Amino acid sequence: MNIDRMEFLAWMERLMDRLDMLGNNIEDFQKKRNNIDGEELLDNQDLLQMLKISNRSLQRYRSNGKLPYYTISGKLYYKLSDVHQFIRESFNPPTPK
């Protein structure tokens, strides 16, 4: 079975168009799924990677009330603005010499 070059290129072009369309749909789905009231939500894994902390540290911040969180269907989420506020409050400016 031989496929000529033009037929192959046309087939590949259709395939790439379809993959681009699927990629855009996935991105749109992710944006809608991780937003509430127009604000981005982060889950535990996102926050652990972002702050480079352990799961236990994150649990301690929640327990101490330093980091507000929301439970949706048994999963913990954090508003990005709350995370930014937590970082600002936790930042210690360097002490002058």
Side-chain angles (χ1 to χ4, degrees):
M1 180 171 132
N2 290 333
I3 300 175
D4 68 349
R5 182 174 171 75
M6 294 305 287
E7 184 179 345
F8 176 75
L9 291 176
W11 182 78
M12 289 302 291
E13 185 66 32
R14 286 194 310 268
L15 182 62
M16 292 304 295
D17 289 342
R18 180 67 70 139
L19 288 174
D20 289 340
M21 185 173 60
L22 287 173
N24 291 337
N25 288 345
I26 290 171
E27 287 176 9
D28 291 343
F29 177 74
Q30 286 289 344
K31 288 177 185 176
K32 289 178 186 174
R33 186 181 67 101
N34 292 333
N35 283 333
I36 189 166
D37 295 333
E39 188 165 355
E40 186 176 353
L41 292 178
L42 305 170
D43 64 9
N44 276 344
Q45 195 63 33
D46 294 334
L47 208 51
L48 292 174
Q49 291 175 355
M50 177 190 234
L51 299 177
K52 296 183 180 12
I53 59 174
S54 69
N55 197 15
R56 179 66 182 117
S57 294
L58 185 56
Q59 182 182 0
R60 188 171 42 256
Y61 295 144
R62 284 192 314 262
S63 298
N64 292 343
K66 292 183 178 182
L67 187 59
Y69 65 95
Y70 307 90
T71 305
I72 303 172
S73 300
K75 189 169 180 180
L76 298 174
Y77 291 95
Y78 310 85
K79 284 186 178 180
L80 186 58
S81 62
D82 291 339
V83 173
H84 286 166
Q85 183 64 33
F86 168 75
I87 292 170
R88 279 191 291 276
E89 290 172 356
S90 300
F91 177 71
N92 295 324
T95 56
K97 294 181 180 181

